[in-house]
Amino acid sequence: MAALYEGFTLCGLVQTQNASDSPIQGIELDGDSDHAVVTDSTRSVTLYKVSDQKPLGSWTVKQGQLLTCPAVFNFQTKEYVVVSDNKVIRVWKDEDLNLDKAFKATVTADVWRVHSAPGGEPVVLFQRGAVRFLDSLLSAPQQPVEDVLSEEEVIRWSTNIVAEEQHFVLFTTEQKGECCLYVQRLNPNTLQKYRLEREDSGASPLSFSASLQDKHLNLLYLYPNGCVYQSVVAARGYVGLEGVQALPRSLRLMVPVGEGELGAASAVALDEAHVAVVGVPHPSARTGKDFLCIWNTNFQTLQAGKEMAGRIHGQVWCYLGKLFVSHGKALSVIPYECQKSSLASALGKLRHTGLAGNAALPHGTSTGRISIKCNCSQRNVKLGVNCVQPQPHQTGPVDEVQREVEALVSRGDAQDLQLSVGQLACHLVARSQAETAFYTPVALAQLVQTQFLCHSVCPGLLLLSLEHKDYFLCQLCLQLFPDIPEVVTCACLKTFISNEVLQTPYSDNFLLPHLKDLDTQQVILFLQYLQFVYLKYSQDVYTQTPGLRSPTMTQIIDWVCLLLDAHFTVLVMAPDAKGLLSNLQSFVKSQVKLFSELGKIESSLQELHKMKLSKDISQYSIEVIELF
Amino acid sequence: MGEFKVHRVRFFDYMPTAIRAMAFNAHTERLALARMDGSVEIFNFTDHYFQEKVIPGKDSRSIESLCWVGGRLFSAGLNGEIAEYDLENLRPKYSLEAYGGPIWTIISNTQGTQLAIGCEDGTVKLFEVLEEHIQFERNLDRQKGRIISLSWHPSGTHIAAGMMDMIRVFDVPTGHAVQRLLVDRGFGGSKSRETVVWSVAFLSDHTVVSGDSAGKVQVWDGHTGTLVKTHLVTKWDVLALSVSKDESSVVAGTSEGTVIQFQFIAPTLHQQQDKEWVRTRTFKNHTHDVRALAEIETAIVSGGMDTHLVVRPLLEKFDEKSHASGLRKIHFPHVIANNINLSCAKKAGLLLFQFPGQLELWRLGDSDEHGKPGDRLPLKRKPEKLLLLKRKGEDHICCSALSSCGGWLAYSTVSSVRIYRLQTDNNNISITKVSKLPKALHSAHQLCFSSDSSKMFAASSQSSVLVIALTQSECKYVHTLKPKSGSRQPIHLMTTSGDGKWLAAANSDCEIHVYNLQKLKLHCIVPVYGSCPSAMGIHPTTNNMTVVHADQQVNTMPSPHIKQYTDWSRKLQKQGLHNVWLDRDTPVTHVTFNSKNPNQVVLHDMHMFCIIDQSLPLPDQKTQFYNQMTLRSLSEQERPSHLHAFKICKTFQDLLCVSLLDDQSLVVVERPLLAITSQLPAPVRQKKFAT
């Protein structure tokens, strides 16, 4: 489970002349965990005490000069660093008042970013891809800087990661629609180039976020169609590899995008299971793309959502349990919390032992300067189903309604269909509820299949279909609606059991009380079914393809656990459940045994690991062995 | 059995040198192999690939090519000389200058009457093979450019010669070049570089197969001089070719470390008549250049820069999985490991390491502490290199010995023997060369000292042993022990008994002679066993002799009636050794004993050491052979019922020597293969997937 808490405004934002530009260049940490260094898009750097929402200091460059990179804090020298007019690096201390009197150095090439992180020396990334340590650059500012990137290749995003003796600078570039990731390892310096897989639409990613997890660099990126992909690069890679390698990706999340594509949106990984996305619609609220949502990528469930007033700039930063989001005329700070679901932890899955390196790492993301003109005309389209057209659905017979729906659906003008479909469905449901004789299964199914509906738009639809025992429609709804409340899910369960129910998003805390409503016979049947499905899949677990609409093993196990939690005492008493329970018990026993065996192996494997470590190749030793 | 303190030694940085050439004698089934340092090794393929002879190298000698004529072995090299080897005395018999500059290759005709060499100056020279010598006959037409490779047509009438950018076919009777086959250069940047035809093969049907530096294996029609087929097999060089006896298969060795097989087969099932040379299999058992190659009846033998010899059996030639059908990698010279490279002075805790050019004397470290099994003890004293002794002259050291008291050191090359007196007091070591040596002592195949250091034994020609008496002031010739059998083969193993009464010597004819040193005469011949002894020893207290053979058989004989086997040995022969023991693929190279327990024999091969306890039951085929782990997990009460005689420890790997010192601690000398690999030059760059 994850939650977004009540946020507060850190500061107001200056409106820029160009509306597509974001008003904030960057937010960085300094030595104090409660501080944030905010660089605006023009001339000033402000240091805030976050909990007090109070500026502690502000530094501005002269009129006519422009800050071209977010200010960072050099954790080693306790100084701030910023770049103005691409080429002038300025370094100052907390007590300096005037930025113009601070240390300045002009370098020979345009700087893209200065990056700094605790435990590492600041590095300077040039626009043409070269990387220098700040210290060595400042000691010889006029040193020549080589071009790493080709002529038309431009940097879109960059970050640096410092963990245990390893220092990486990651940056992505774009050239003629092709995106590449560069991983620059420092000390020793190696540069590895990876090509990102092209999205079918040809679109470029809207945002990137990178983190180090379990000795792997995880890159998370969001596309305008709502797909969030993850790519993994080994932190200790084969350094000798040359040339460009393809970077495999896996789809972590499909964020529902509503109408059109995402414009200014951004995704950032919070931990290994949670992603915060800003600039997206809430699936069960309005379709406006002005929400901050936390999704669980393991279960594909929405964990929390918050509407952000005003235009979203597609920028989100994540530092120490707080999300920084610029929207409208304000920069908001929203504390959040991510917890592993109790079931997941009970089952012992998703166990990672090597998270220590991850904890100290601030996640940072911004969309950089990627701006895609989104088609905002949707709002202005007149949704004239009610006023322009005759309205057979209010009074007409079933076949007339059918014709109307067909006409509407076949118009295929996606943009204004969304609202009209919702309204039409609501009307039809309302009429069906009022007139018991009226029910238009085909029309409703067609409406659902447009995929513009969700449960919150037309809450009565699923229950109506259940009432009429229209299982086809039910199935469709379960498949396509992302936001079915747990109580409705249980209602569906009571009437029928399917692959589809198991895959609907749910939260166990909310589901549990509703599950209790099932009667014993239903529970037994359901458990039998789950057991059957489990056995079926456990036989061919490796042949499961992700595209197939089948629940995963973990989903099945989760449901079994939930059901047993809810009904255990009743089941123990029920004589017909005896066989089933003993089956499940023997299954659990075997699982426990397996896990305990695995546990045993784990320790011996660790022992092996230790042995390897201690086995340094010495030239000579005196050892004691025993023979039996 | 108990705990052992083990001195684990890894500071012997012995480095085998690269394999340069090989020649297989199908008649005697012996493989001759030449290394970069000029040494030649002979492997017996009928006896578990046992390395039965080593001819030590020499600084000025370089061998590019080897060639058998009957049982005679010839070599030629870039020093411009042809040499014939004396395989009984393990030295070159003679060598003669060919006057054609560096020689790249030497071949013989199938009749064994002529030798041909390819020279740097562009001549192919023919030599007549005489009874005791070879004699220059004539030159074939001189060409522009060096002759790199040669192949004689089986009929003897033609010779194919690989050169730069071309292949020439000579008519031998007239000496004229009759065909000129132009070899294409490589593509791209290598277009400007001359193509070197590293290897040619002339088949009975006048097909010429060539391998060149542009990575091609090409098939030519030798009658018409036309190219039939080109196989581009590597981006680098094709260095070696070898043809099977029935000419149905050709193998090619490349710089990438691969061996590629081509077979003369019909490409489709329907047209069995239209055969062509088709690339069939690729073997990758090397990391570096494959410089030498031989296709024998059932296997492909290859060697090269990465120093190990690989025997890759062709599985289609075997009906069932057996010992012979397994892949063999021979990393260390077997015989060398026995007595030559290492000597261990048991009383003094000294180790003598022999390199081709020098000897190193080390003193083992020491520790006062005690620990439980698995512990590594803190050192009170580190091991110490006491002495580095460089040899004199060009000839490489072929054997050396250290007396068990640590007071005497001796080494021999093919041309001289040197004996030194060592004196150690506390930290000072002094070395004195014994100046006057008996005339009879001019070279030795093996050296060893008696256990009281009063005598030295030197294995000499025709399986004879010289006995030399050592005193503080001088060393004196005493006697020559001669075998009755009249064998001319060299002695490769020698050992003495603890009481100084017996000396046993084994030769390559598989004979073991036991001499009575008090009477200075032959005592008996040990029953001849069909496989060559790879290690032997005499127990210091009981005088029982243990011999291990190349086929892994272990025999023990009682003293003084060494003519027969002990009861234990007979029981072992009757029951048979465990299959796991027989399937090991490296020979046992040392046998030592526990002086406190007459039942215990310590022996080792490259991958394990074993303590045989003759008081315990023998394992039958159903018994778990490697049972140390099982025994460890059992309780004290259960253990006795699971014990068997072979106690094997595989903790130490790549073993060159295991010995038991007088204080009951073990010395194991490891030479990790990884350390050898890391000293090799970088292999050729290979394109890996997605780079």
Side-chain angles (χ1 to χ4, degrees):
Chain A
M1 286 301 288
L4 289 168
Y5 297 111
E6 195 57 42
F8 51 86
T9 302
L10 185 64
C11 61
L13 297 180
V14 191
Q15 279 308 309
T16 49
Q17 291 149 354
N18 189 345
S20 67
D21 278 356
S22 55
I24 285 187
Q25 288 202 48
I27 299 175
E28 294 280 335
L29 291 185
D30 77 358
D32 190 325
S33 64
D34 197 25
H35 286 186
V37 183
V38 178
T39 310
D40 74 10
S41 60
T42 53
R43 295 192 295 134
S44 52
V45 178
T46 314
L47 174 66
Y48 288 97
K49 187 168 171 61
V50 177
S51 56
D52 292 354
Q53 307 163 45
K54 186 176 89 179
L56 296 176
S58 177
W59 298 271
T60 312
V61 290
K62 271 189 203 156
Q63 192 92 35
Q65 294 175 337
L66 208 61
L67 295 181
T68 52
C69 128
V72 296
F73 185 70
N74 184 343
F75 292 89
Q76 293 180 335
T77 60
K78 314 281 182 223
E79 289 169 329
Y80 298 93
V81 184
V82 78
V83 177
S84 64
D85 299 319
N86 291 322
K87 281 199 173 77
V88 184
I89 298 179
R90 290 160 188 267
V91 181
W92 76 97
K93 275 198 172 355
D94 207 7
E95 58 265 25
D96 293 337
L97 294 176
N98 196 336
L99 205 51
D100 280 318
K101 288 182 184 159
F103 173 82
K104 268 188 288 202
T106 307
V107 292
T108 55
D110 285 357
V111 175
W112 163 258
R113 284 281 186 279
V114 181
H115 285 291
S116 172
E121 231 184 287
V123 288
V124 178
L125 172 63
F126 288 91
Q127 286 190 7
R128 305 311 309 153
V131 174
R132 295 280 188 281
F133 279 115
L134 182 69
D135 270 5
S136 71
L137 182 66
L138 291 182
S139 63
Q142 289 300 310
Q143 62 181 277
V145 175
E146 73 281 4
D147 282 5
V148 174
L149 305 183
S150 56
E151 192 94 331
E152 292 170 15
E153 204 171 359
V154 285
I155 300 184
R156 288 302 186 199
W157 164 89
S158 65
T159 190
N160 80 331
I161 290 179
V162 180
E164 293 166 25
E165 298 174 11
Q166 280 181 299
H167 196 164
F168 303 92
V169 175
L170 275 67
F171 56 97
T172 61
T173 65
E174 195 178 322
Q175 180 184 21
K176 293 178 184 150
E178 181 174 288
C179 294
C180 290
L181 168 71
Y182 288 78
V183 178
Q184 168 88 51
R185 292 179 175 82
L186 298 164
N187 285 343
N189 290 10
T190 57
L191 181 66
Q192 187 64 52
K193 183 178 178 183
Y194 300 91
R195 187 184 301 109
L196 263 57
E197 226 172 283
R198 229 174 222 260
E199 192 66 2
D200 289 337
S201 62
S204 311
L206 286 174
S207 81
F208 295 91
S209 138
S211 59
L212 187 75
Q213 281 173 11
D214 216 6
K215 290 183 183 153
H216 287 89
L217 298 170
N218 283 344
L219 187 72
L220 199 76
Y221 40 105
L222 168 72
Y223 279 96
N225 60 4
C227 292
V228 178
Y229 291 99
Q230 186 185 33
S231 295
V232 179
V233 178
R236 294 182 192 275
Y238 295 102
V239 174
L241 297 181
E242 284 178 20
V244 186
Q245 300 188 60
L247 187 65
R249 66 183 189 186
S250 56
L251 183 65
R252 287 301 303 275
L253 184 65
M254 274 278 276
V255 181
V257 294
E259 55 206 64
E261 291 198 317
L262 298 178
S266 186
V268 57
L270 303 180
D271 62 17
E272 66 266 39
H274 293 93
V275 173
V277 194
V278 74
V280 290
H282 191 288
S284 54
R286 293 185 301 101
T287 53
K289 294 186 173 67
D290 47 4
F291 274 87
L292 168 67
C293 297
I294 296 182
W295 288 80
N296 183 318
T297 52
N298 289 329
F299 300 104
Q300 307 276 316
T301 50
L302 178 65
Q303 303 273 326
K306 200 179 191 69
E307 188 171 2
M308 309 304 291
R311 194 168 71 84
I312 296 265
H313 301 290
Q315 285 178 306
V316 60
W317 291 266
C318 167
Y319 290 118
L320 306 169
K322 296 186 190 70
L323 288 165
F324 294 74
V325 181
S326 64
H327 62 102
K329 288 180 182 171
L331 174 66
S332 286
V333 180
I334 300 137
Y336 71 91
E337 194 178 17
C338 290
Q339 283 176 343
K340 278 180 197 144
S341 86
S342 54
L343 246 171
S345 47
L347 285 173
K349 67 188 170 189
L350 301 170
R351 252 180 81 192
H352 291 285
T353 45
L355 289 175
N358 188 23
L361 198 81
H363 301 277
T365 182
S366 72
T367 56
R369 292 181 191 278
I370 309 173
S371 61
I372 290 174
K373 295 268 178 264
C374 71
N375 189 348
C376 295
S377 59
Q378 301 154 358
R379 306 259 166 115
N380 311 331
V381 174
K382 266 210 151 184
L383 304 162
V385 182
N386 287 332
C387 44
V388 179
Q389 288 182 352
Q391 303 151 5
H393 60 265
Q394 288 186 346
T395 49
V398 173
D399 48 344
E400 236 175 272
V401 175
Q402 180 63 35
R403 273 200 296 280
E404 185 204 357
V405 170
E406 261 167 16
L408 177 71
V409 172
S410 61
R411 258 186 15 216
D413 187 0
Q415 280 168 15
D416 53 9
L417 212 56
Q418 178 126 12
L419 273 191
S420 47
V421 164
Q423 282 182 342
L424 186 56
C426 285
H427 279 124
L428 288 178
V429 169
R431 191 177 155 197
S432 300
Q433 280 164 343
E435 303 170 33
T436 38
F438 181 83
Y439 185 62
T440 54
V442 184
L444 284 172
Q446 271 178 332
L447 287 176
V448 173
Q449 275 168 331
T450 60
Q451 302 201 24
F452 290 121
L453 283 183
C454 61
H455 188 267
S456 27
V457 169
C458 186
L461 179 60
L462 190 51
L463 289 174
L464 181 77
S465 66
L466 275 181
E467 236 170 76
H468 286 266
K469 297 201 165 56
D470 184 353
Y471 297 135
F472 172 70
L473 185 62
C474 266
Q475 193 95 354
L476 265 185
C477 295
L478 286 168
Q479 261 185 39
L480 299 173
F481 289 2
D483 54 352
I484 298 170
E486 283 79 356
V487 59
V488 184
T489 313
C490 277
C492 295
L493 260 184
K494 278 183 203 168
T495 15
F496 69 100
I497 296 163
S498 149
N499 289 2
E500 310 296 346
V501 177
L502 301 185
Q503 287 180 296
T504 51
Y506 68 90
S507 138
D508 24 26
N509 287 351
F510 295 118
L511 187 62
L512 212 54
H514 301 297
L515 272 179
K516 286 197 185 283
D517 295 343
L518 298 177
D519 72 35
T520 323
Q521 284 312 313
Q522 284 167 332
V523 170
I524 291 172
L525 183 71
F526 191 28
L527 277 177
Q528 277 169 341
Y529 172 73
L530 286 171
Q531 196 190 13
F532 161 76
V533 176
Y534 180 80
L535 289 176
K536 186 162 164 277
Y537 285 138
S538 57
Q539 279 160 10
D540 51 3
V541 65
Y542 298 108
T543 58
Q544 259 185 312
T545 47
L548 224 62
R549 285 199 58 84
S550 54
T552 61
M553 297 285 269
T554 40
Q555 279 172 331
I556 297 168
I557 298 284
D558 286 356
W559 273 94
V560 171
C561 294
L562 277 172
L563 274 176
L564 288 176
D565 275 359
H567 289 278
F568 190 70
T569 45
V570 183
L571 285 172
V572 168
M573 305 297 286
D576 356 359
K578 209 170 175 184
L580 182 73
L581 282 183
S582 69
N583 269 351
L584 282 172
Q585 192 212 11
S586 64
F587 162 73
V588 169
K589 258 189 185 167
S590 70
Q591 289 283 308
V592 168
K593 200 171 170 195
L594 173 72
F595 273 92
S596 74
E597 292 298 327
L598 284 174
K600 280 179 201 165
I601 293 177
E602 184 183 46
S603 61
S604 43
L605 283 178
Q606 271 173 355
E607 207 56 37
L608 275 179
H609 199 64
K610 275 183 208 159
M611 272 168 63
K612 279 234 168 100
L613 278 178
S614 68
K615 217 179 181 179
D616 54 332
I617 309 287
S618 66
Q619 294 276 296
Y620 177 77
S621 56
I622 300 180
E623 294 172 20
V624 180
I625 62 163
E626 188 177 21
L627 286 178
F628 297 98
Chain B
M1 164 152 266
E3 291 180 15
F4 292 91
K5 219 181 193 184
V6 180
H7 296 267
R8 186 177 200 169
V9 173
R10 289 171 172 229
F11 48 73
F12 177 37
D13 48 357
Y14 161 74
M15 188 70 196
T17 52
I19 295 172
R20 182 64 196 90
M22 60 170 79
F24 185 68
N25 188 331
H27 184 64
T28 59
E29 297 208 36
R30 298 295 200 278
L31 181 87
L33 180 144
R35 293 188 186 263
M36 289 294 220
D37 65 353
S39 62
V40 176
E41 295 162 18
I42 310 287
F43 291 84
N44 184 350
F45 274 45
T46 57
D47 191 9
H48 298 76
Y49 311 108
F50 187 67
Q51 185 194 40
E52 56 181 20
K53 289 172 190 176
V54 177
I55 298 165
K58 187 178 179 180
D59 283 352
S60 61
R61 190 192 307 150
S62 86
I63 300 178
E64 277 295 306
S65 181
L66 286 171
C67 163
W68 288 98
V69 177
R72 296 164 72 179
L73 182 67
F74 293 90
S75 82
L78 298 180
N79 57 359
E81 288 180 349
I82 306 174
E84 183 180 351
Y85 293 91
D86 181 345
L87 297 177
E88 286 158 2
N89 288 311
L90 305 183
R91 64 174 74 198
K93 206 172 185 176
Y94 58 85
S95 64
L96 59 106
E97 174 66 44
Y99 301 107
I103 307 171
W104 288 93
T105 179
I106 181 167
I107 54 165
S108 76
N109 61 358
T110 41
Q111 296 77 18
T113 55
Q114 280 177 314
L115 287 174
I117 58 168
C119 300
E120 177 75 12
D121 69 353
T123 53
V124 175
K125 294 174 190 284
L126 298 188
F127 286 79
E128 194 182 348
V129 180
L130 305 173
E131 195 80 2
E132 283 296 315
H133 211 69
I134 57 170
Q135 191 170 12
F136 175 70
E137 201 177 305
R138 61 194 163 97
N139 284 338
L140 303 185
D141 284 359
R142 184 169 171 171
Q143 305 296 314
K144 268 189 186 170
R146 59 179 73 106
I147 310 283
I148 300 289
S149 50
L150 290 175
S151 179
W152 214 311
H153 187 266
S155 70
T157 53
H158 290 82
I159 287 179
M163 303 176 59
M164 311 302 283
D165 284 333
M166 70 166 104
I167 299 165
R168 286 277 188 180
V169 177
F170 293 94
D171 181 61
V172 178
T174 64
H176 297 316
V178 289
Q179 294 288 354
R180 194 175 72 142
L181 321 178
L182 290 179
V183 179
D184 280 345
R185 293 189 177 181
F187 298 103
S190 50
K191 192 115 197 164
S192 56
R193 255 179 281 141
E194 283 179 306
T195 299
V196 186
V197 180
W198 286 118
S199 188
V200 285
F202 213 157
L203 309 185
S204 312
D205 62 355
H206 278 268
T207 300
V208 176
V209 184
S210 68
D212 60 47
S213 63
K216 303 192 295 292
V217 172
Q218 289 183 311
V219 183
W220 311 79
D221 184 333
H223 285 301
T224 58
T226 50
L227 179 65
V228 179
K229 179 113 186 162
T230 297
H231 298 272
L232 185 65
V233 296
T234 171
K235 279 188 146 180
W236 308 91
D237 294 30
V238 176
L239 293 166
L241 290 175
S242 176
V243 186
S244 68
K245 209 177 165 191
D246 61 1
E247 298 192 350
S248 68
S249 157
V250 169
V251 285
T254 73
S255 289
E256 287 174 317
T258 52
V259 172
I260 297 159
Q261 191 184 16
F262 299 87
Q263 282 173 291
F264 194 55
I265 47 175
T268 56
L269 278 174
H270 310 294
Q271 296 154 310
Q272 288 293 334
Q273 299 311 312
D274 302 337
K275 289 190 176 180
E276 55 182 88
W277 285 99
V278 178
R279 176 177 169 164
T280 52
R281 280 180 286 191
T282 303
F283 307 106
K284 172 108 170 99
N285 295 308
H286 295 276
T287 51
H288 290 68
D289 290 8
V290 176
R291 302 289 295 266
L293 203 57
E295 182 168 357
I296 63 172
E297 198 65 44
T298 56
I300 293 169
V301 188
S302 55
M305 285 297 286
D306 57 4
T307 75
H308 54 254
L309 177 70
V310 174
V311 182
R312 173 69 168 78
L314 295 167
L315 291 178
E316 75 270 17
K317 307 272 172 73
F318 293 90
D319 293 331
E320 58 188 85
K321 187 169 174 279
S322 70
H323 186 67
S325 65
L327 177 80
R328 281 284 187 120
K329 280 195 181 190
I330 300 169
H331 294 281
F332 300 126
H334 310 152
V335 171
I336 289 231
N338 195 330
N339 214 353
I340 305 192
N341 267 317
L342 302 156
S343 296
C344 207
K346 296 183 181 179
K347 285 176 192 155
L350 298 177
L351 278 177
L352 179 69
F353 295 144
Q354 178 195 318
F355 298 84
Q358 69 205 48
L359 296 173
E360 285 182 13
L361 185 66
W362 288 74
R363 177 160 47 210
L364 291 170
D366 203 356
S367 174
D368 289 341
E369 311 270 331
H370 295 277
K372 54 180 193 305
D375 282 358
R376 183 177 289 196
L377 304 181
L379 297 182
K380 185 182 81 179
R381 194 182 66 208
K382 286 187 175 175
E384 196 182 352
K385 191 197 277 188
L386 300 177
L387 189 72
L388 188 142
L389 187 65
K390 293 203 169 158
R391 68 164 151 83
K392 298 280 186 296
E394 285 200 314
D395 289 311
H396 294 180
I397 298 172
C398 68
C399 62
S400 57
L402 183 69
S403 66
S404 62
C405 63
W408 295 91
L409 188 154
Y411 78 84
S412 171
T413 66
V414 294
S415 51
S416 68
V417 177
R418 278 159 203 267
I419 303 175
Y420 296 88
R421 182 91 181 98
L422 290 177
Q423 269 154 333
T424 43
D425 47 18
N426 295 327
N427 290 324
N428 297 324
I429 182 156
S430 66
I431 179 165
T432 334
K433 190 182 164 211
V434 178
S435 53
K436 263 193 174 174
L437 294 186
K439 281 216 174 80
L441 186 65
H442 47 78
S443 90
H445 304 309
Q446 285 290 310
L447 289 168
C448 86
F449 291 91
S450 64
S451 58
D452 61 355
S453 304
S454 67
K455 290 195 183 74
M456 189 184 85
F457 308 101
S460 183
S461 59
Q462 300 182 10
S463 291
S464 63
V465 178
L466 302 185
V467 182
I468 311 288
L470 303 167
T471 58
Q472 284 292 1
S473 53
E474 59 171 353
C475 67
K476 220 169 79 185
Y477 168 76
V478 179
H479 187 71
T480 303
L481 300 165
K482 282 186 183 155
K484 272 205 187 113
S485 67
S487 169
R488 303 179 61 83
Q489 293 296 333
I491 288 170
H492 68 282
L493 294 173
M494 251 193 326
T495 185
T496 59
S497 64
D499 58 6
K501 202 175 171 190
W502 309 103
L503 172 77
N507 66 20
S508 323
D509 273 342
C510 307
E511 298 169 348
I512 302 172
H513 295 92
V514 179
Y515 299 96
N516 185 325
L517 292 172
Q518 285 165 344
K519 297 180 180 164
L520 287 176
K521 63 180 231 186
L522 182 69
H523 176 68
C524 66
I525 300 179
V526 172
V528 173
Y529 183 80
S531 177
C532 204
S534 67
M536 63 179 187
I538 298 175
H539 194 282
T541 52
T542 66
N543 278 354
N544 281 358
M545 186 158 92
T546 301
V547 183
V548 190
H549 296 268
D551 68 352
Q552 311 295 1
Q553 182 64 43
V554 182
N555 290 328
T556 63
M557 279 119 322
S559 165
H561 309 291
I562 288 177
K563 285 177 180 174
Q564 65 193 40
Y565 296 116
T566 60
D567 292 342
W568 182 84
S569 191
R570 251 178 274 150
K571 208 168 83 186
L572 181 67
Q573 285 167 4
K574 202 172 154 196
Q575 187 176 326
L577 279 152
H578 199 281
N579 281 338
V580 174
W581 175 268
L582 294 173
D583 283 346
R584 290 175 308 113
D585 61 357
T586 51
V588 168
T589 46
H590 286 91
V591 175
T592 51
F593 301 91
N594 184 349
S595 55
K596 306 236 166 81
N597 186 341
N599 279 323
Q600 290 181 1
V601 183
V602 183
L603 31 86
H604 82 93
D605 65 11
M606 188 173 145
H607 303 297
M608 61 96 205
F609 78 83
C610 173
I611 299 182
I612 297 180
D613 189 333
Q614 297 179 2
S615 64
L616 290 173
L618 292 169
D620 61 22
Q621 297 296 358
K622 285 179 211 140
T623 315
Q624 183 192 18
F625 192 66
Y626 296 132
N627 64 346
Q628 287 297 316
M629 290 286 266
T630 317
L631 291 174
R632 187 181 311 257
S633 65
L634 292 176
S635 67
E636 296 265 2
Q637 291 78 25
E638 290 171 302
R639 234 171 250 160
S641 60
H642 288 80
L643 294 175
H644 67 69
F646 290 77
K647 303 178 175 309
I648 291 181
C649 172
K650 303 187 94 168
T651 312
F652 310 103
Q653 285 296 309
D654 308 331
L655 292 171
L656 284 175
C657 175
V658 174
S659 188
L660 201 60
L661 297 182
D662 282 357
D663 67 349
Q664 296 281 299
S665 61
L666 280 163
V667 179
V668 303
V669 180
E670 292 177 292
R671 180 58 182 153
L673 293 180
L674 265 178
I676 292 179
T677 315
S678 65
Q679 285 186 32
L680 293 175
V684 294
R685 221 184 79 84
Q686 281 171 46
K687 190 169 167 62
K688 296 242 169 64
F689 178 70
T691 56

